Amino acid sequence: MAQYNTISLKKEVMIISTYTQSQVYTQASFRALIDALLPSSYEQYNYESTNNMEVHEYIMYSLDHDISIQQPLHHTIVPLSYPTAKMLDIAATQLMNTYQAQPYPHSLFPGGGMFSCLSRRDRIRTLSALENLNIDLYVLPSPFQNNAGLVKNVTDALNRFSMLGYYSEWPAYGSTRLRPPSERRLEFFPMNWQRVGYPGVSYGYRDFRGFLLRMNRSEGKYENES
Amino acid sequence: MKTNPDVIVIGAGGGGPVIAKELGELGIRVQVLEAGPWYGNKNWLEPNMNRGLAKESSNPEDLDGTLYRNQLTRLEQDMNDPVTGKFRWGTADRRRTPWFRNVPDPAMVWQTAGIGGSTLHYYANCPRAFPSAIDNEWPIHYKDLIPYYEKVEATLPVEFAPTTSKEALFYYGAEKAGFSINRTLDVTKNGYRPQPNAILPPNKHLMDPNYSLEQLSHMEGCTLSGHCGQGCPYGPKLDKMAKRTTAVSYVPLAMKTGNVTFRPNTFVTKVLTERNANGKECAIGVKIRDTWTGEVEELYAKVVVMAAGCVETPRLWLNSELPYNAWVGRGLTNHYMDTVTGTFDEQTLMKILGSPTVHPFVGHTSAARLDYPGLGMIENMGESPGLTAQLLFGFSQYGYNSLQEQSSDIWDQRGRLVGAELDEAMKDYSRTLTLLIVTDDEVQYHNRVELDPHIKDEHGAVPIVHYTPSKKSKERREQLVHIGTDMLRKAGAKKVHRADLPPNLFIHLQSTMRMGFVVDTSCEAYQVDRLFIADNSVDYNSLGGPNPTLTTQALATRTAELLAKKYF
């Protein structure tokens, strides 16, 4: 298991070096997000490398592959990860300006904005403010600007995506996790399945304790018996 | 099909294949058009990678259980991911986005495109409607439905679910809370019972260690693997798979009639009509778009049946500019759901079950129910960890448990869990029992599917979905949540968590094209001749709470009979 992680980590270091500034910013914002929502991997597994299983990448992938629309001449994907990171920062700034959040003087996630300068609890408060629309929607970036429905919908999805990414088999796709879905291969047993006691794909279980009721079909009629 | 079919059916989900099979048996030639992929058919060896070797398939020899098993990996993210999963509302090509629905609220629309539709992921629960929700409400009587219920129950087939640990705990809690067993299919009073499920009973050798579980997974019968939601491809061949999605039940039966062709990867964008002699509109065919190539075609038939589901059927009506009807898309119900989860300690479980764990992932995903006419129902639910975490602990209208200052003496925790409290809740996963609260949801005109005036996808204006529960639905849900909590406490749960799910969770969508408003009692549109509907949208109401699929399949069986009598 440890061996796989080392391999995937090395690959990642190579990939990171080619990231643009906005990608670094988006990555840092979503690292800050999952750090607030998900259990701390560091404490759980006693090694730093998993860093919440890189679930921020899963959320970014999901947000960037969730919506496409038809324009007059072409079909366009509407990538949401960058504007969502911006939205988190604008909401965090509004919380700070109204003394509802106390930022640290520097980002806890290098390259991140205001959201990543907040404590975990203040980051959760920021999400709460967004889903309750306790922020000025006019200053949000497109497509969130004045779009209350989308703000609520996407803010909620951040929670669900985090949990599905973290507790499903996704982290165990290892070095193939960001490939198109059909090219992903499981490289090890999902660590969180082990942690929660889920045996994974199963042929079956010998836990048959009988029937409380049976349907008896005779001459097209039904009789119920115990 | 080389010549025009007699009937075109739009959608191969819970209803479409049923009406196709019934019509096929009467010698009527049917073409079923499905927007999503086909798993388990030799013409599509890599259904998510390319458009395959054929456009359509009608030969039962094309069906392949081994292929189905390889494609349905039983992995929750691979199968159920709402964005990239094999079971999603989107095109076969998973590199592309899902099809957009505008739900301007926290929302999950749990629907699947593909041969089998949402029955690919459904838990195969097949209760009949509550008679009290049909009689004196619907324009037809409960007794009119009984022969059709019986026919579908025998065909799928339906059997009461076996008991595993989580059901034993459910029944124990229900007894302790003062309920007794209800030995019936026609529910007129409250009580608990096993779910009538479209899942083949366990193989008689399941508990015999001389048979390996792998061997058993290739034999007939449920292995209690718990993979209902991921499709469960266990069985000796495709049409004998344990979980009876229509992809393995009605689709093969329809093909065996020799009169039915299924065409996947085909999105219907318009119902074509003309005016008949008396000036009334009459369906004559459909306009389609190939989801792989973008090619557009028109197909013609004597009768068109819409079975595209509660969102797409009204969307298609509106995008086709069929005659105005104030109730098209209106009256949406969704059983306004919630969950309560009890965590038990090992000693309590040892006493009740003789084992220190519940293992919620074992057995039918939902196998025990408490019916409560007047309020709705409660069923148990044991999903895999990722789906469990997102639904129970990541989705709530209450917000974050840790931000709430008031504490409740009814629930230990309520709403979303984060960080260490999430970790703790999931560490207890093996010792939990989750109850899904399913409300008898009141029809309201303002709950609706309509067209987005600004956003289009490749198939036309996208649907907007609006839903807020009525005061009565809220009160009923609250009562059921208290009953469920009481069951868990009486069973000995040490901790109870309530999700307090948001209203826009769409699993049981119903009643957007209601009988008596949009369609008549034979499910033919009042305003368009030769246009029928065979999905949940025709339901007059939410059936009192029971899961809707069996009623849709019974109605589709009945509609086939009435349609054939009138037009063939």
Side-chain angles (χ1 to χ4, degrees), chain B residues 309-327:
Chain B
C310 266
V311 177
E312 294 304 315
T313 292
R315 177 198 184 195
L316 179 58
W317 179 290
L318 295 166
N319 270 333
S320 303
E321 298 178 323
L322 297 179
Y324 174 77
N325 179 317
W327 277 93

Side-chain angles (χ1 to χ4, degrees), chain A residues 37 58 68 70 75 131 152-153 159-160 169 195 202-207 209-210 215 217 222 226, chain B residues 77-78 81 97 103 105 150 153 158-159 163 165 183 206 211 223 234 400 416 419 423 456 458:
Chain A
L37 290 175
Y58 169 82
S68 63
Q70 188 69 37
H75 194 250
E131 74 177 349
K152 285 193 284 180
N153 187 293
N159 296 278
R160 287 185 295 103
E169 83 279 9
R195 182 166 175 80
S202 155
Y203 291 120
Y205 299 101
R206 301 191 204 269
D207 188 26
R209 293 171 177 243
M215 278 191 191
R217 299 195 168 91
Y222 295 80
S226 49
Chain B
Q77 192 272 328
D78 186 39
D81 190 294
T97 69
V103 192
D105 262 308
E150 290 178 347
E153 285 160 352
V158 175
E159 178 55 88
T163 305
S165 300
R183 299 172 194 276
L206 180 61
Y211 292 81
T223 62
Y234 292 148
Y400 296 90
R416 294 199 196 93
D423 185 45
K456 284 191 166 78
E458 63 271 41

Side-chain angles (χ1 to χ4, degrees), chain B residues 298-355:
Chain B
E298 288 185 353
L299 304 174
Y300 299 92
K302 295 189 191 100
V303 171
V304 174
V305 179
M306 298 203 280
C310 266
V311 177
E312 294 304 315
T313 292
R315 177 198 184 195
L316 179 58
W317 179 290
L318 295 166
N319 270 333
S320 303
E321 298 178 323
L322 297 179
Y324 174 77
N325 179 317
W327 277 93
V328 165
R330 296 280 175 161
L332 172 67
T333 61
N334 73 3
H335 282 164
Y336 189 37
M337 296 180 180
D338 203 349
T339 67
V340 281
T341 299
T343 305
F344 297 77
D345 63 28
E346 293 186 357
Q347 295 83 339
T348 308
L349 294 175
M350 275 308 287
K351 218 173 66 197
I352 302 168
L353 302 174
S355 110

Side-chain angles (χ1 to χ4, degrees), chain B residues 262-496:
Chain B
F262 289 87
R263 178 168 171 180
N265 308 310
T266 303
F267 206 106
V268 176
T269 54
K270 190 172 184 180
V271 174
L272 305 171
T273 59
E274 62 182 22
R275 287 201 186 275
N276 58 23
N278 57 17
K280 195 175 171 191
E281 285 207 47
C282 175
I284 56 164
V286 296
K287 191 172 171 184
I288 59 170
R289 184 181 180 279
D290 184 306
T291 63
W292 283 102
T293 64
E295 285 170 292
V296 173
E297 266 180 84
E298 288 185 353
L299 304 174
Y300 299 92
K302 295 189 191 100
V303 171
V304 174
V305 179
M306 298 203 280
C310 266
V311 177
E312 294 304 315
T313 292
R315 177 198 184 195
L316 179 58
W317 179 290
L318 295 166
N319 270 333
S320 303
E321 298 178 323
L322 297 179
Y324 174 77
N325 179 317
W327 277 93
V328 165
R330 296 280 175 161
L332 172 67
T333 61
N334 73 3
H335 282 164
Y336 189 37
M337 296 180 180
D338 203 349
T339 67
V340 281
T341 299
T343 305
F344 297 77
D345 63 28
E346 293 186 357
Q347 295 83 339
T348 308
L349 294 175
M350 275 308 287
K351 218 173 66 197
I352 302 168
L353 302 174
S355 110
T357 51
V358 188
H359 285 330
F361 48 83
V362 171
H364 293 193
T365 302
S366 177
R369 57 188 290 116
L370 179 89
D371 295 292
Y372 206 117
L375 294 181
M377 60 137 180
I378 296 174
E379 59 180 39
N380 69 351
M381 183 176 66
E383 262 297 359
S384 44
L387 296 172
T388 296
Q390 75 155 353
L391 188 70
L392 308 187
F393 308 130
F395 197 40
S396 178
Q397 62 184 343
Y398 189 69
Y400 296 90
N401 180 64
S402 61
L403 292 186
Q404 305 298 334
E405 275 150 24
Q406 288 172 318
S407 66
S408 153
D409 46 8
I410 306 170
W411 304 288
D412 300 277
Q413 292 175 317
R414 182 172 178 181
R416 294 199 196 93
L417 303 182
V418 298
E421 56 182 10
L422 171 65
D423 185 45
E424 199 181 319
M426 287 304 292
K427 267 197 308 191
D428 291 337
Y429 170 64
S430 272
R431 289 181 285 104
T432 58
L433 177 66
T434 294
L435 306 183
L436 183 69
I437 306 300
V438 183
T439 308
D440 176 4
D441 190 14
E442 201 179 20
V443 170
Q444 296 184 102
Y445 184 72
H446 68 75
N447 288 330
R448 65 194 185 273
V449 174
E450 61 187 359
L451 298 182
D452 192 312
H454 306 295
I455 304 175
K456 284 191 166 78
D457 68 8
E458 63 271 41
H459 307 120
V462 303
I464 305 185
V465 183
H466 283 281
Y467 172 85
T468 50
S470 72
K471 189 165 169 273
K472 203 183 268 178
S473 295
K474 285 184 188 168
E475 286 165 4
R476 288 171 178 162
R477 184 175 94 149
E478 212 56 28
Q479 280 178 269
L480 285 169
V481 167
H482 280 84
I483 292 166
T485 305
D486 187 49
M487 281 169 60
L488 294 170
R489 295 278 187 209
K490 294 265 167 65
K494 289 289 170 298
K495 199 168 92 179
V496 179

Side-chain angles (χ1 to χ4, degrees), chain A residues 77-127:
Chain A
I77 293 182
V78 184
L80 289 173
S81 70
Y82 181 74
T84 301
K86 282 281 177 203
M87 174 170 81
L88 292 173
D89 278 335
I90 290 168
T93 306
Q94 289 192 24
L95 255 65
M96 183 198 72
N97 288 342
T98 51
Y99 305 105
Q100 296 174 69
Q102 287 266 321
Y104 294 106
H106 57 86
S107 172
L108 304 170
F109 300 86
M114 183 56 76
F115 182 70
S116 65
C117 296
L118 300 183
S119 69
R120 284 180 180 154
R121 192 171 171 81
D122 282 349
R123 276 175 262 155
I124 300 292
R125 280 208 184 95
T126 306
L127 293 171

